Amino acid sequence: MSKQTQSAFIAIVGRPNVGKSSLMNRMVGQKVAIVSDKPQTTRTRIMGVLTKEETQFVFLDTPGLHKPRTRLGDYMVKSIGEAVGSVDAAVLVVEPDARIRPEETELIAQLKASRMPAILVINKIDLVADKAALLACIAAYKDLYEFSSVVPLSAKTGDGVAELLDEMAAFAADSPHFFPDDAISDQPERVLVAELLREQILRTMRDEVPHGVAVVTESFREAETTSGAPIIHAECVIYCERDTHKGMLIGKGGARLKEISAAARLEAERLLGVKVNLKTWVKVKEDWRNRQGLLNGFGYSD
Ligand SMILES: Nc1nc2c(ncn2[C@@H]2O[C@H](COP(=O)(O)OP(=O)(O)O)[C@@H](O)[C@H]2O)c(=O)[nH]1
Ligand SMILES: [Mg+2]
């Protein structure tokens, strides 16, 4: 007889840049979500999946809470509300700082309103020299909400992450597993590859360019090399808003695009475990962020 399986759906919430995507990647053991030092880089609600024996964790990485300025912003805020409304528990990620920001107060109000059980994660403890500061931070948050537990950790070093998984297991309920036990994400590989490319753009470009960029994988197919090794051929289009941005993305003699593509290809090979042949193009689509039809085409649906 097979053992009773369980699943736990956990939303990872917090203000931009606290390390939500880093934490999710650390837990699933692979980079499935973009990490960047520029805030608001997570656009789609990507789920990370981790199966430990009978328990399957499904993590929802949410964009940071912020005031929407464009339709894309609207979509990002909406997906937070949806994520928090439909999970077993939330993990509120904060930095080791006793000063609580308005975004955090707002998120805690949402948790309260939905009576959502929540774990408080104090991330980036690798940066904390003074333990008293950590204690002050814990005390400040404990005054605001009855967290089921408080876990200081570092998504960067992995310190404390096992403790978090133990705490989260308490929210698992009897159910079938919704994903194969070796799955790491709900997103198809073609979407993850486009995200890896967008991550490299965020890493190498000045601010105004990356936030106006969308990446779409137009073709993705598995094949074999002449020696019989598996290889994936992927073709991605980078959409930007201006001709000047296109010029910057391509760079002198195509140098910038080559650099971005080469780095994304290495990350894609690491993620997929096979050779990847990545072809990239840059196209201009003015003001795509405010055009609902295009947004849908890029995968940001309502
Ligand atoms: N030192 C340190 N930096 C971290 C840690 N976790 C995340 N970061 C950095 O914080 C920045 C934001 O991380 P990200 O995961 O994209 O944050 P998100 O916006 O909340 O998803 C990136 O530069 C990360 O490398 C950590 O535990 N320690
Ligand atoms: Mg993120």
Side-chain angles (χ1 to χ4, degrees):
M1 207 179 82
S2 65
K3 283 192 184 151
Q4 175 63 55
T5 56
Q6 301 189 308
S7 69
F9 281 71
I10 313 273
I12 306 177
V13 301
R15 91 188 141 72
N17 243 6
V18 292
K20 299 179 295 296
S21 298
S22 303
L23 177 61
M24 188 173 89
N25 291 342
R26 168 64 71 177
M27 290 190 290
V28 305
Q30 284 275 14
K31 186 185 287 173
V32 292
I34 283 193
V35 172
S36 161
D37 56 4
K38 298 184 176 71
Q40 288 148 36
T41 50
T42 302
R43 284 186 187 153
T44 355
R45 201 178 61 189
I46 289 183
M47 295 200 271
V49 180
L50 171 69
T51 307
K52 286 188 79 180
E53 288 139 28
E54 279 70 49
T55 307
Q56 183 161 76
F57 296 97
V58 181
F59 306 114
L60 288 86
D61 184 21
T62 59
L65 190 70
H66 71 124
K67 288 232 153 47
R69 266 174 291 130
T70 61
R71 276 188 194 278
L72 176 60
D74 274 351
Y75 167 77
M76 289 167 71
V77 172
K78 207 166 138 201
S79 50
I80 294 179
E82 284 171 4
V84 172
S86 54
V87 293
D88 297 312
V91 167
L92 174 63
V93 183
V94 301
E95 288 185 338
D97 186 341
R99 284 170 305 171
I100 296 167
R101 311 282 205 302
E103 293 102 316
E104 274 131 10
T105 315
E106 171 62 26
L107 281 168
I108 289 171
Q110 287 185 19
L111 295 175
K112 268 188 189 151
S114 55
R115 297 171 199 271
M116 178 66 64
I119 299 172
L120 178 68
V121 159
I122 301 174
N123 188 29
K124 307 195 184 182
I125 54 163
D126 55 295
L127 301 176
V128 179
D130 175 14
K131 291 286 170 243
L134 196 56
L135 294 177
C137 174
I138 294 173
Y141 278 98
K142 275 196 162 166
D143 278 350
L144 292 184
Y145 195 62
E146 211 174 299
F147 290 100
S148 58
S149 58
V150 178
V151 183
L153 59 80
S154 168
K156 188 177 177 183
T157 66
D159 229 11
V161 172
E163 285 80 353
L164 175 61
L165 287 170
D166 286 346
E167 292 294 341
M168 287 189 313
F171 299 111
D174 287 352
S175 91
H177 289 175
F178 296 96
F179 298 93
D181 285 3
D182 60 354
I184 52 171
S185 174
D186 68 316
Q187 297 290 317
E189 291 172 340
R190 57 192 297 146
V191 172
L192 296 178
V193 168
E195 285 290 280
L196 289 174
L197 197 54
R198 200 162 65 81
E199 180 178 57
Q200 291 306 321
I201 295 167
L202 286 159
R203 178 157 296 158
T204 51
M205 305 294 292
R206 295 216 329 266
D207 270 4
E208 77 271 17
V209 181
H211 287 293
V213 157
V215 181
V216 176
T217 303
E218 299 224 313
S219 99
F220 189 94
R221 68 191 169 80
E222 290 179 42
E224 280 186 2
T225 61
T226 43
S227 60
I231 184 165
I232 287 170
H233 296 284
E235 300 185 352
C236 297
V237 179
I238 300 166
Y239 289 98
C240 61
E241 292 178 309
R242 316 237 174 291
D243 272 323
T244 48
H245 292 179
K246 180 176 173 179
M248 285 187 258
L249 281 160
I250 292 173
K252 266 211 179 78
R256 177 54 66 77
L257 187 59
K258 247 186 225 150
E259 178 197 337
I260 290 168
S261 305
R265 179 179 58 81
L266 284 180
E267 290 279 0
E269 289 182 340
R270 191 174 305 159
L271 178 76
L272 304 172
V274 296
K275 280 249 167 273
V276 175
N277 170 25
L278 179 63
K279 289 211 174 81
T280 48
W281 285 270
V282 182
K283 291 184 184 169
V284 179
K285 276 213 174 63
E286 277 173 43
D287 202 25
W288 64 262
R289 270 189 283 194
N290 281 315
R291 290 163 64 189
Q292 193 59 51
L294 282 177
L295 272 183
N296 294 344
F298 289 146
Y300 307 115
S301 59
D302 282 316

